[in-house]
Amino acid sequence: MDEHLTSLSEDRALLGRTSTAERVSDILRSRIAEGFFPPGTRLSEDSIGGALGVSRNTLREAFRLLTHERLLVHELNRGVFVRVLTVEDVEDIYRTRGLVECAVVRGLGEPPYGLDPLAGAVEEGLGAAREGDWKGVGTANIHFHRELVALAGSARTDELMRSVFAELRLAFHVVDDPKRLHEPYLARNRQILQALEASDKGGAEKLLAVYLEDSLERVVEVYRRRVSSTP
């Protein structure tokens, strides 16, 4: 925890001169997504507030925002904790992903599409795989789907899915074999990209729908096993 707090203190510069709860929540959301605060971790107001140099009230408001996003949970007389998802949570996340991501692809206008960020996420994943960084592959996978959603050009959809993807990362951090979880989707992301490059949005949507079904099955399988074995 001390090592993470030292690293967290380096984020003070991101707050600028006005330390707002929104900026603090952005920092903590990123740190949770990166696994600095794993699921089940109790967040200390004194330690985190001191590391970021923000007031207790500001930090509590940031906690409230992240609780609303389902990343944190407040337990009476115990404090604030990074949320541990249930299998039902994971299933609901994928239900939301299917509704939104497939609709984005289906609703694309006339090609060409702005696919450079999507292609960059594919390359990011391949590069992480070459380094054996399988958590990095998982991060690149989230980036791919975030850029896919961004093709809709909707700030509201981006904001909705930012929270969904951050919540999904909570499940990824519990999984003990990230290579087995993420490796199959390197090729599948590239297939979706290639379909969009060929202006075949119908084909891309079909690939994406099957992808999400298979990913849900795989994540639930490993997540259920991992959570049930955790004391």
Side-chain angles (χ1 to χ4, degrees):
M1 187 71 171
D2 290 343
E3 177 184 347
H4 295 330
L5 290 172
T6 299
S7 179
L8 189 63
S9 67
E10 297 172 0
D11 287 332
R12 280 197 191 193
L14 299 177
L15 296 175
R17 293 184 178 179
T18 56
S19 299
T20 66
E22 288 81 6
R23 289 185 180 132
V24 173
S25 66
D26 285 343
I27 289 170
L28 293 179
R29 185 188 301 105
S30 295
R31 291 294 184 167
I32 291 168
E34 293 164 3
F36 281 89
F37 301 116
T41 301
R42 181 181 179 277
L43 301 185
S44 165
E45 288 185 4
D46 290 339
S47 298
I48 294 175
L52 289 175
V54 298
S55 71
R56 186 182 297 269
N57 286 339
T58 296
L59 187 60
R60 285 179 176 174
E61 176 63 12
F63 283 173
R64 188 192 67 79
L65 292 171
L66 294 177
T67 299
H68 182 70
E69 293 181 19
R70 302 172 63 85
L71 295 179
L72 302 180
V73 61
H74 180 268
E75 297 186 10
L76 189 62
N77 298 324
R78 295 193 65 220
V80 176
F81 295 79
V82 179
R83 193 156 169 261
V84 178
L85 301 183
T86 65
V87 171
E88 290 74 21
D89 289 326
V90 175
E91 291 172 338
D92 194 38
I93 287 168
Y94 271 88
R95 189 178 303 114
T96 303
R97 292 186 66 191
L99 289 170
V100 174
E101 293 186 51
C102 289
V104 166
V105 174
R106 189 183 319 123
L108 289 175
E110 293 300 314
Y113 312 118
L115 300 177
D116 286 349
L118 210 60
V122 169
E123 289 304 316
E124 178 189 353
L126 293 172
R130 285 192 292 270
E131 297 293 326
D133 178 9
W134 296 104
K135 288 188 177 181
V137 172
T139 297
N141 187 36
I142 293 292
H143 290 168
F144 177 87
H145 289 274
R146 188 177 65 196
E147 296 299 345
L148 185 70
V149 169
L151 292 174
S154 166
R156 290 175 177 81
T157 305
D158 289 344
E159 184 177 356
L160 165 68
M161 295 306 291
R162 179 189 67 176
S163 296
V164 170
F165 289 137
E167 200 176 351
L168 180 61
R169 293 294 293 271
L170 296 179
F172 288 172
H173 291 316
V174 174
V175 172
D176 58 354
D177 189 355
K179 178 179 180 180
R180 180 171 180 267
L181 180 64
H182 300 304
E183 187 175 28
Y185 302 107
L186 289 168
R188 298 179 80 163
N189 285 347
R190 185 160 49 186
Q191 289 170 351
I192 293 169
L193 173 63
Q194 289 170 341
L196 291 173
E197 287 174 336
S199 302
D200 181 11
K201 66 179 182 181
E205 183 186 353
K206 290 178 182 177
L207 288 169
L208 178 60
V210 174
Y211 173 118
L212 291 173
E213 290 174 4
D214 291 347
S215 181
L216 170 60
E217 182 178 349
R218 181 178 292 267
V219 171
V220 166
E221 174 196 353
V222 297
Y223 190 75
R224 180 180 282 118
R225 183 174 64 247
R226 180 66 172 169
V227 170
S228 64
S229 67
T230 301

